[in-house]
Amino acid sequence: MNSIKTLYKLMEVSSRDLEIPDAYQRKLNTERVAKIVAGFNERIANEPKVSFRDGHYYVFDGQHTIVARKHMNGNNDLPILCKVYYGMTEAEEALLFAMQTGYSAALTPSAKLRANLRGEDKASGEFYEATEDVGFHVGFERGGGVGRILCINTAFAEFKRVGAEVYKEALTILLEAWGGDPDSLRAEIIQGIVHFVELYHGEFSEERLLRALRNIHPVDIYRIGQDDPAKLRGWKKYVFPIYTAYNGKCRKDALPMKF
């Protein structure tokens, strides 16, 4: 990030010459364009941010404003005042896109991760690689499915908290227990599994844990956590049903309660 150039020039660029890079930009949201048009106020409208690279003007912030302005001009091209940056790489554009704040529409976790991956962000790349190595897929598009992790913020936070080794061990157990069932990929289940593996790392029997998990549906783990019979808080509510399922009624080699 230190190499990103922050100097820019304010200049008018024809909307005809403004390009939206597919590599990291999100898809156009027509509803957002309509809202911008309906409430447009020239006094507070932001200038689109554009990178001039290889003879092209690439928009990394403001595509909806550009489309809205064109719509208000009868869908005809028009000159638009832009902040034009020079000397940036595509990776730097993607990182700045992922860092958008202020009046820009908040990025979804998947859009932010996708942009950070394109920008070669180290932590994002390691998280993505670790998740895919286990056999899961990061859900960049809408809609769930077998093996698709949609709770990206939660999974990424757990990865950064415990590191790749524990994260991958926990997700491997999750996959082997439930085969990527979408119900097993709720944020609460992922948190519960990762915390269990972290707490009892090197102490639990993987075979015993898998047997216990296969005998309980992930939705039941979620519901028990929601009911909170042990009066716990946060992630502990979802470790509890995993912990009790593991110990069962057998006292031999039972794990102590650490949470």
Side-chain angles (χ1 to χ4, degrees), residues 141-203:
E141 303 298 329
R142 291 184 179 181
V146 175
R148 295 190 67 197
I149 293 181
L150 301 180
C151 54
I152 293 173
N153 278 350
T154 296
F156 199 178
E158 291 301 300
F159 170 82
K160 289 186 286 187
R161 189 180 64 80
V162 301
E165 180 184 355
V166 172
Y167 174 80
K168 291 176 71 172
E169 181 178 349
L171 259 64
T172 297
I173 289 170
L174 194 154
L175 181 62
E176 292 183 3
W178 293 303
D181 183 333
D183 284 326
S184 73
L185 300 179
R186 295 169 181 257
E188 297 83 359
I189 305 299
I190 290 177
Q191 279 187 315
I193 291 288
V194 173
H195 276 278
F196 180 92
V197 171
E198 179 192 21
L199 285 168
Y200 299 104
H201 198 253
E203 299 178 38

Side-chain angles (χ1 to χ4, degrees), residues 26 32 44 46 49 61 99-107:
R26 53 193 159 187
R32 175 163 171 73
I44 62 173
N46 287 331
K49 296 183 179 69
D61 185 7
M99 294 167 60
Q100 288 183 57
T101 57
Y103 289 101
S104 298
L107 295 180

Side-chain angles (χ1 to χ4, degrees), residues 6-254:
T6 56
L7 296 178
Y8 62 84
K9 292 182 180 179
L10 275 173
M11 58 182 291
E12 287 189 341
V13 181
S14 172
S15 59
R16 178 183 60 252
D17 298 324
L18 295 171
E19 301 181 34
I20 310 300
D22 293 333
Y24 58 82
Q25 271 279 16
R26 53 193 159 187
K27 292 182 179 179
L28 185 73
N29 185 325
T30 54
E31 291 183 3
R32 175 163 171 73
V33 171
K35 287 181 180 180
I36 293 174
V37 170
F40 194 84
N41 186 329
E42 189 67 64
R43 292 172 295 181
I44 62 173
N46 287 331
E47 300 87 3
K49 296 183 179 69
V50 177
S51 171
F52 184 74
R53 173 169 53 84
D54 300 329
H56 297 265
Y57 293 96
Y58 294 107
V59 179
F60 62 87
D61 185 7
Q63 67 159 320
H64 291 88
T65 299
I66 293 168
V67 175
R69 284 186 177 279
K70 186 173 177 179
H71 178 83
M72 291 185 293
N73 194 45
N75 285 322
N76 296 311
D77 285 307
L78 73 162
I80 297 177
L81 185 64
C82 300
K83 289 182 177 179
V84 181
Y85 293 73
Y86 296 86
M88 291 171 58
T89 65
E90 183 184 61
E92 289 171 336
E93 295 164 15
L95 288 176
L96 286 180
F97 170 76
M99 294 167 60
Q100 288 183 57
T101 57
Y103 289 101
S104 298
L107 295 180
T108 63
S110 60
K112 186 172 183 178
L113 177 63
R114 183 169 176 258
N116 275 326
L117 288 172
R118 192 69 182 185
E120 300 175 3
D121 176 68
K122 186 173 184 291
S124 298
E126 290 174 349
F127 162 69
Y128 181 81
E129 183 178 349
T131 304
E132 295 282 326
D133 279 351
V134 169
F136 286 114
H137 304 290
V138 177
F140 287 122
E141 303 298 329
R142 291 184 179 181
V146 175
R148 295 190 67 197
I149 293 181
L150 301 180
C151 54
I152 293 173
N153 278 350
T154 296
F156 199 178
E158 291 301 300
F159 170 82
K160 289 186 286 187
R161 189 180 64 80
V162 301
E165 180 184 355
V166 172
Y167 174 80
K168 291 176 71 172
E169 181 178 349
L171 259 64
T172 297
I173 289 170
L174 194 154
L175 181 62
E176 292 183 3
W178 293 303
D181 183 333
D183 284 326
S184 73
L185 300 179
R186 295 169 181 257
E188 297 83 359
I189 305 299
I190 290 177
Q191 279 187 315
I193 291 288
V194 173
H195 276 278
F196 180 92
V197 171
E198 179 192 21
L199 285 168
Y200 299 104
H201 198 253
E203 299 178 38
F204 68 89
S205 162
E206 183 175 323
E207 181 181 352
R208 179 172 174 173
L209 178 58
L210 286 172
R211 186 166 58 247
L213 294 178
R214 287 166 181 160
N215 285 325
I216 184 172
H217 196 279
V219 170
D220 292 328
I221 292 177
Y222 173 78
R223 287 173 178 167
I224 292 170
Q226 289 288 294
D227 292 340
D228 195 15
K231 306 303 179 185
L232 300 169
R233 293 184 178 182
W235 57 265
K236 297 179 181 180
K237 298 190 298 183
Y238 304 100
V239 175
F240 178 74
I242 297 170
Y243 167 80
T244 54
Y246 178 90
N247 279 346
K249 298 179 180 180
C250 181
R251 293 186 178 182
K252 183 179 180 181
D253 298 324

